[in-house]
Amino acid sequence: MLDRHTQTLLRPVLNVAALVLVRAGVSADVLTWLGFVLGLTAAAAIALHAWMAALLLLLASRLLDGLDGAVARLTQPTDAGGFLDIALDFLFYAMIPLAFAVANPTANALPAAVLLGSFIGTGSSFLAFAALAEKRGFADTALPGKSFYFLGGLTEATETIAVFASMCMWPVHFAVLAYSFATLCSITTVMRVVWGYQRLR
């Protein structure tokens, strides 16, 4: 819901940083991998109850996730890079709730499982429509320049990162945050399925 506004706000800063990185010879794929490694490190920090370290690593990971796209657009975007970006993003999104379950299995295992289940709905509806949108030649007017057609909803990347950050800042409230966000993800899945089915008809 907020991705378009967030990207509009951050794009000038990301473009300047990306230009510096391009001149230094840093590729988009390197940034994608580095962002993923930082994300995994954030998950490890969560599992070890290092909440503030996890928060900083998580935010740094997502900053690099934004930079890799900016670098790609300044150089030569590739299908391989787009695939790598989205695949590692989804792995990152799965690792954070799992890490909270590891941190406190008794309190967090069930809400983490519910949240991960809701992610299956948002992820599958997103990717299924993206594949068919490419086949049909649909143009993404909301977020142009992406490797995939970005089907929106209540829970996009911005909201997900905000919730993950909140979980790191208030880990004792993980269950409430997880169940609440899982509900919004479920609503997003229903919206995407209904809208996507109607659009493809």
Side-chain angles (χ1 to χ4, degrees), residues 14-28 31 67 70-72 74-75:
L14 291 178
N15 286 342
V16 171
L19 185 59
V20 173
L21 291 169
V22 169
R23 289 173 176 170
V26 179
S27 72
L31 294 173
L67 276 173
V71 168
L74 288 175
T75 53

Side-chain angles (χ1 to χ4, degrees), residues 55 58-59 160-170:
L55 175 61
L58 188 152
L59 295 176
T160 305
I161 300 309
V163 169
F164 284 173
S166 299
M167 290 170 173
C168 291
M169 290 186 287
W170 300 288

Side-chain angles (χ1 to χ4, degrees), residues 121-133:
T122 56
S124 62
S125 58
F126 170 86
L127 293 174
F129 186 84
L132 293 171

Side-chain angles (χ1 to χ4, degrees), residues 14-96:
L14 291 178
N15 286 342
V16 171
L19 185 59
V20 173
L21 291 169
V22 169
R23 289 173 176 170
V26 179
S27 72
D29 288 354
V30 167
L31 294 173
T32 300
W33 279 112
L34 182 57
F36 179 64
V37 170
L38 287 178
L40 290 183
T41 308
I46 289 168
L48 295 172
H49 297 197
W51 310 118
M52 288 302 101
L55 175 61
L56 294 175
L57 288 164
L58 188 152
L59 295 176
S61 168
R62 295 306 88 192
L63 175 63
L64 290 176
D65 183 56
L67 276 173
D68 65 1
V71 168
R73 287 186 290 273
L74 288 175
T75 53
Q76 181 60 50
T78 65
D79 289 342
F83 167 77
L84 184 68
D85 181 47
I86 198 70
L88 296 185
D89 277 353
F90 274 82
L91 287 173
F92 163 79
Y93 291 136
M95 288 300 299
I96 299 302

Side-chain angles (χ1 to χ4, degrees), residues 7 112 143:
Q7 291 188 21
L143 292 172

